[in-house]
Amino acid sequence: MALAAGTFVALAAAALYLTLQQPGEPVSPATVNIQGSAIGGPFTLTDHTGKRVTSAELFDGPTLIYFGYTFCPDVCPVDVAVMASAVDVLAERGFEVTPVFITVDPARDDPEAMAYYADAMHPTMIGLTGTEAEIKAVADAYKVYYERVNAPDSQAGYLVNHTTFTYMVMPDGVRAAFRDGFPPEEIAGEVARILSR
Ligand code: NI
């Protein structure tokens, strides 16, 4: 659901920009300035092997996170592939970054579905799911909006509109958020810049 999801993104991005953009800081156009905003927070979810994992365990180094769902017909596959490519670009430059995919469709995305998806996308990707309440809580913490939309014609029965930011998280919290639609080199360059500070 690219169109509706894009509307959510535009609204969210505009809100973040209006309140948080600081003049004079040269950053990539892919970057949403989140300085001073309360994004992120502790959580416990279930990984793609069925193991419960805490955010403290997950964020033991640089991490890129994307929220989406495995049935997503258009946006997620592109954005998650870009995240995976950014991780590869960073590895070539000597930065080890873990890609994480968190579902906004826990009713269908069980650990097995997440494992299939994560394995297909990147060898080090971690897929996370949970109960409806757990996913709602982590999505709220990351300012991720998602909403089921009936799609009788689709094989899956319903789609999920969702925001499409990619977040960079360090052990001490969220460091950056990126819009979709930019090449992996753009995101990798910005992550490398932050890690080199
Ligand atoms: Ni999607």
Side-chain angles (χ1 to χ4, degrees):
M1 295 295 287
L3 189 63
T7 306
F8 280 114
V9 170
L11 289 171
L16 285 168
Y17 239 82
L18 284 172
T19 53
L20 301 166
Q21 182 67 38
Q22 303 202 334
E25 193 180 6
V27 293
S28 159
T31 302
V32 179
N33 193 325
I34 57 168
Q35 202 164 8
S37 68
I39 294 181
F43 59 77
T44 303
L45 293 170
T46 302
D47 76 11
H48 63 271
T49 71
K51 179 173 157 286
R52 296 290 281 173
V53 58
T54 67
S55 47
E57 292 165 336
L58 186 69
F59 301 137
D60 62 350
T63 304
L64 284 174
I65 298 182
Y66 186 85
F67 291 80
Y69 66 114
T70 69
F71 279 84
C72 187
D74 41 31
V75 177
C76 287
V78 174
D79 290 351
V80 176
V82 165
M83 178 170 73
S85 295
V87 165
D88 288 338
V89 171
L90 284 158
E92 286 164 15
R93 296 176 62 172
F95 298 105
E96 188 182 332
V97 177
T98 301
V100 176
F101 181 64
I102 301 181
T103 186
V104 291
D105 184 18
R108 291 184 298 199
D109 283 339
D110 58 13
E112 291 73 25
M114 297 303 284
Y116 185 81
Y117 196 83
D119 289 349
M121 285 295 186
H122 196 275
T124 65
M125 186 171 291
I126 295 171
L128 296 176
T129 186
T131 65
E132 298 279 356
E134 287 168 347
I135 293 299
K136 179 73 167 64
V138 68
D140 284 350
Y142 281 82
K143 313 283 192 260
V144 169
Y145 304 97
Y146 64 101
E147 181 182 36
R148 275 196 196 188
V149 180
N150 286 326
D153 294 342
S154 86
Q155 202 175 10
Y158 66 90
L159 300 173
V160 184
N161 287 344
H162 61 93
T163 46
T164 54
F165 292 123
T166 299
Y167 298 93
M168 176 194 177
V169 187
M170 294 291 284
D172 62 351
V174 176
R175 290 290 186 83
F178 305 106
R179 296 182 184 80
D180 70 345
F182 289 86
E185 292 77 14
E186 188 82 23
I187 293 169
E190 195 64 17
V191 170
R193 189 177 72 80
I194 292 168
L195 291 175
S196 300
R197 274 177 188 162

